């Protein structure tokens, strides 16, 4: 008799046992039976409502004890793959979902995209998987049981120490470990800052225009309204900021997002003077601080006035956005209220992830990774500059002194039209318009080059040039 | 000549190389040198401003190439352990921080606590470290590069699928994968819910009194004001809720926190009717749903009205709070706005952690862990009941049908005084008063028994009985 039989309502019939046991495996026989049955259900070999053989029959067929089969059935009943039906024994659950299917769907959608120029993503293929795995293992091994409970919302000592040194050395941030607050990426850092402003009764915060549109949403969700402050060739217009009579501002001084302008030394001084004179706060988003190509990096603004500037960064542009690891550097005045708010948003950043990053920094693996990827991005930037010169000779490229994206401005055309046509051609990118609040600008495309190999950048810009050449030419003033 | 020499300002002198290289190691010689130097700096063997030997001397001493030593020095310069001084070569950074010290401090503070009866913490020693490590490894191995970027704020398909089945089977939640939103623990789920209420213009939310004090803070940070609704022996008072004219309520129906009452069948029906009649929302906090001792678990309230009830749970009481993994089950009406809010709080839950939990569930390891720990907690609960009967015969124990904590009510005494005296005796616990908003209650202690072995529970209650016997007797009405 077969170990599989069908329920009256099911047309399928399984003629032979689908289970293969490996006596040499490290897994127990029970776990092997469980794994084979799960696989059969997920793959559809065992359809919903199929009836399983009795434990006695299955045990005889497989040459194992009946107790082993019963334990495997119990486990799968508990997991919901199987259900027990009075009178008809054990059957496959009608709702056993196919996880494999959704994975296939996601991969298919991704593969339609030939050239992904969306900004803000680093080279994901370079993610140091082996080093990260080693750091997770080290962290889990060293972790005392007590740290598996609720921990300090500001973060683990290990990571705060490691970051304090890393930021001081790499970015000239003026800080000690107590100043560092670990957060789940920059978005949460901005969210905590916005909630803190809101709690202080501050209702508006200045923002560069053009600037990050997702940051605008984060600020609003924190209960504060963003106010547009213009950006020119020297960075944010501090006179305009002063006229707006605000008490806080969010800026990207090292490489303005998305224009790529560096805040000039005069403006840095003016901004700090504004903050001091008006008792205001600055949030410094140092989002792509690690990448600077033609000249020495600009040090963190925070070092000029640690009491006025909250510094924010993350691993999203250096390791991977999916890790959701970031940091704030906060002076003593704001520290307590921001830590309390963070606690009341989601308690803390996952402990193991924190300790893994601390280990990665301590081993020198993060610095090693940065040195390796800086070379990679310098090549890709070169490829973008060359490709634009070749295929888009009438375009102007700007914002290329650092970071992982550049802005391409075109003499004419309709930005939205070009972006839509590019997407239809399998080229994903963003126009400058979504970043603008009140500002106007020439027809411009924001091109991220971090996650595309140099040869793909060349083909991608060639394909983009074809799209642009075919797009209807509409002056920007008409739109 | 020695490889260590001292700077003029430092009294230390290192007479022999402190570096031991292992030619059989998997690590390169360069990495071994780096690791040894880091260790020497962290341990204080190499004090700040100590001067390192030149690369030539060090290379000769160690029998390696000069380039290897130079590369190791460069790495440590980049990490901030060393600094290059013009004229005096390479010296140990004056700010190289001692990470070891802070770890020692934390351990020392923890060890003063003899009996930790704080509620809401599961048995941390039971955390399935090997299974979790295996699931992380599996997840990282299977992860496509593209998923290292920004992902769906609602979570990965793999985890949403796994949770949908797990919750349907274990808790009778009515859901499919699309209904599941992955969050960073319950606190974030409540935060997202509160922000969503606030965005809809709802300014108040009902809360059980007594109830979780941390939830009150989370709600306020989300822009909504909690309103006290009394709890009696059948759970929340639905008539009082109706009189308060609210549009939303947070409840713990399976095991009221902290009283431990189960919401009666009549009240369940009344609560759902209230929500339907007033077009209101219920957030069901199913925080310790997995533990029920004397009777069958009560199914999720959500299944009675999936359009009215948002269901919330987490691994904080089953695996470990430090993982920061939780979930919401949200009907189609609220789903989009809550997903958008979550995105604007912190983008998403770390991808690898999500996939590891999905793997843990799919392998059956979570169910296995739950079955194992349920037995453990049943023993501990028994130990608490027995110890209270033995050492505190005049006390009344309640809320013990499920969960990981119970409430001990005393005939007299001063709650705050007892809690303070217990802490001085090394016993950490909470009185009922911090949970109360407007409600009054007999002198009561909330005792978590999840993270203490049975024998320790017995000694802990004996010690607590001594503390109580010595505490000044003050009637609760005097306080």
């Amino acid at each position: 008799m077969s170990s599989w039989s069908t329920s009256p309502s099911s047309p399928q019939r399984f003629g032979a046992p689908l289970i293969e046991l490996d006596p040499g495996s490290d897994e127990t026989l029970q776990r092997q039976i469980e794994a084979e049955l799960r696989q059969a259900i997920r793959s559809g070999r065992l359809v919903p409502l199929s009836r399983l053989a009795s434990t006695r029959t299955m045990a005889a067929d497989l040459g194992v004890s009946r107790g082993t089969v019963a334990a495997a059935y119990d486990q799968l009943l508990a997991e919901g793959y199987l259900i027990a039906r009075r009178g008809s024994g054990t059957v496959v659950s009608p709702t056993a979902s196919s996880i494999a299917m959704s994975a296939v769907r996601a991969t298919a959608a991704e593969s339609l995209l030939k050239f992904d120029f969306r900004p803000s993503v680093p080279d994901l293929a370079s993610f140091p998987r082996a080093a990260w795995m080693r750091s997770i293992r080290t962290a889990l091994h060293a972790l005392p049981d007590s740290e598996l409970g609720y921990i300090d919302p500001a973060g683990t000592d290990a990571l705060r120490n490691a970051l304090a040194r890393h930021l001081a050395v790499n970015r000239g941030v003026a800080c000690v470990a107590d100043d560092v607050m670990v957060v789940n990426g920059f978005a949460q850092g901005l969210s905590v800052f916005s909630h803190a402003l809101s709690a202080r009764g501050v209702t508006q915060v200045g923002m560069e225009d053009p600037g990050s549109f997702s940051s605008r949403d984060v600020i609003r969700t924190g209960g504060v309204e963003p106010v547009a402050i213009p950006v020119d060739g020297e960075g944010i217009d501090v006179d305009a900021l002063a006229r707006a009579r605000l008490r806080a501002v969010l800026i990207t001084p090292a490489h303005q997002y998305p224009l790529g302008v560096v805040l000039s030394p005069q403006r840095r001084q003016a901004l700090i003077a504004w903050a001091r004179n008006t008792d205001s706060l600055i949030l410094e988003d140092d989002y792509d601080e690690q990448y600077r190509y033609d000249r020495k990096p600009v040090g963190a603004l925070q070092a000029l006035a640690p009491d006025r500037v909250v510094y924010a960064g993350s691993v999203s542009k250096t390791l991977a956005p999916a890790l959701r690891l970031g940091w704030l550097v906060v002076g003593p005045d704001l520290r307590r209220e921001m830590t309390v708010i963070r606690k009341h948003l989601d308690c803390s950043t996952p402990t193991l992830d924190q300790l893994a990053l601390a280990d990665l920094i301590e081993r020198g693996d993060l610095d090693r990774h940065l040195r390796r990827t800086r070379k990679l991005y310098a090549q890709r930037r070169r490829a973008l500059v060359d490709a634009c010169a070749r295929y888009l000779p009438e375009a102007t490229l700007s914002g290329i002194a650092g970071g992982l994206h550049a802005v391409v401005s075109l003499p004419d055309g309709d930005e939205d039209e070009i972006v839509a046509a590019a997407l239809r051609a399998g080229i994903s990118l963003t126009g400058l318009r979504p970043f603008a609040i009140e500002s106007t600008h020439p027809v411009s495309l924001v091109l991220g080059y971090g996650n595309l190999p140099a040869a793909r950048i060349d083909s991608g810009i060639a394909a983009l040039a074809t799209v642009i050449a075919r797009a209807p030419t509409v002056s920007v003033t008409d739109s």
Side-chain angles (χ1 to χ4, degrees), chain A residues 212-473:
Chain A
S212 160
F213 45 90
S214 59
S215 287
R216 293 205 289 271
D217 292 327
V218 172
I219 289 169
R220 286 200 185 100
T221 302
V224 184
E225 192 54 33
V227 175
I229 308 294
V231 174
D232 60 25
E234 290 189 68
I236 194 167
D237 181 341
V238 180
D239 289 339
L241 174 64
R243 284 193 301 271
R245 302 193 163 277
L246 300 170
R247 300 296 303 280
V249 68
L250 163 66
I251 50 158
T252 50
H255 187 235
Q256 201 275 332
Y257 189 75
L259 295 183
V261 181
V262 179
L263 190 67
S264 73
Q266 295 74 14
R267 290 280 173 87
R268 287 165 73 96
Q269 295 299 341
L271 191 63
I272 296 297
W274 164 80
R276 292 208 191 285
N277 294 340
T278 60
D279 189 24
S280 297
L281 291 168
I282 298 168
L283 181 64
E284 175 177 20
D285 176 9
D286 208 19
Y287 68 106
D288 62 2
E289 77 276 19
Q290 302 291 345
Y291 308 115
R292 181 76 29 191
Y293 307 111
D294 295 330
R295 49 183 161 178
K296 230 172 115 58
V298 187
L301 185 72
Q302 181 266 1
L304 300 181
D307 56 327
R308 291 285 149 205
V309 182
V310 174
Y311 175 91
S314 81
V315 302
S316 296
K317 310 292 176 282
T318 53
L319 291 168
L323 294 181
R324 308 312 308 140
L325 283 167
W327 46 84
L328 295 173
V329 176
V330 188
D333 269 4
L334 270 169
R335 191 180 299 153
R336 209 190 114 70
E337 60 199 86
M338 285 181 67
T339 307
V340 167
I341 285 169
R342 195 277 147 88
K343 182 182 177 198
H344 297 152
L345 286 174
D346 68 343
C347 292
S348 61
T349 297
T351 307
L352 271 175
D353 298 340
Q354 290 193 41
L355 297 178
L357 179 58
D359 184 72
L360 200 81
I361 295 172
E362 291 302 328
R363 279 180 197 268
D365 284 332
L366 179 60
D367 281 306
R368 239 183 295 277
H369 176 73
L370 284 172
R371 282 202 294 277
R372 206 165 34 222
T373 50
R374 262 186 217 116
K375 285 181 199 153
L376 190 74
Y377 297 132
Q379 284 168 6
R380 293 179 179 186
R381 168 177 171 274
R382 187 75 256 158
L384 181 74
V385 170
D386 292 348
C388 286
R390 187 174 315 141
Y391 304 114
L392 294 169
E394 300 195 331
T396 312
L397 198 59
S398 58
I400 54 171
L404 302 174
H405 74 272
V407 176
V408 174
S409 298
L410 303 172
D412 52 27
D414 180 296
E415 210 180 276
D416 296 342
E417 194 63 50
I418 292 170
V419 170
L423 194 61
R424 286 192 297 272
I427 308 166
S428 179
L429 49 76
T430 311
L432 188 52
R433 196 169 296 172
F435 296 90
I437 307 173
E438 297 164 2
S439 61
T440 56
H441 56 268
V443 180
S444 302
L445 305 174
V446 181
L447 296 176
Y449 54 83
N451 198 23
L452 268 178
R456 303 282 301 151
I457 290 173
D458 188 81
S459 332
I461 297 299
L464 178 63
T466 309
V467 167
I468 291 172
R470 286 181 191 160
T473 304

Side-chain angles (χ1 to χ4, degrees), chain A residues 27-169:
Chain A
E27 294 278 6
T28 64
L29 292 169
Q30 179 196 329
R31 294 238 189 162
Q32 290 185 50
I33 295 170
E34 290 169 21
E36 292 272 324
L37 284 172
R38 273 193 215 100
Q39 184 51 34
I41 294 168
R42 281 192 212 142
S43 67
R45 279 183 296 158
L46 260 181
V47 298
L49 299 179
S50 304
R51 187 150 65 87
L52 267 68
S54 70
T55 52
R56 185 190 303 272
T57 308
M58 179 73 95
D61 275 12
L62 295 173
V64 302
S65 80
R66 194 175 167 187
T68 300
V69 174
Y73 280 22
D74 283 347
Q75 174 69 26
L76 295 171
L77 284 163
E79 292 176 26
Y81 283 101
L82 302 179
I83 54 175
R85 290 232 162 151
R86 209 174 294 274
S88 60
T90 307
V91 304
V92 175
S93 161
T95 60
S97 58
S98 169
I99 288 138
M101 281 312 293
S102 44
V104 169
R105 273 205 313 273
T107 312
E110 198 71 26
S111 67
L112 294 176
L113 208 58
K114 282 182 250 163
F115 303 102
D116 189 352
F117 283 106
R118 283 174 293 190
S120 305
V121 180
D123 187 56
L124 300 176
S126 288
F127 179 71
R129 287 174 185 247
W132 186 255
M133 196 64 224
R134 185 169 63 170
S135 289
I136 288 267
R137 194 163 42 234
T138 303
L140 185 57
H141 188 74
L143 189 71
D145 285 340
S146 59
E147 293 199 14
L148 285 165
Y150 291 95
I151 65 158
D152 186 341
T156 61
D157 284 345
L159 182 54
R160 297 168 79 193
N161 273 296
L163 283 172
R165 207 189 60 248
H166 177 78
L167 294 173
V169 171

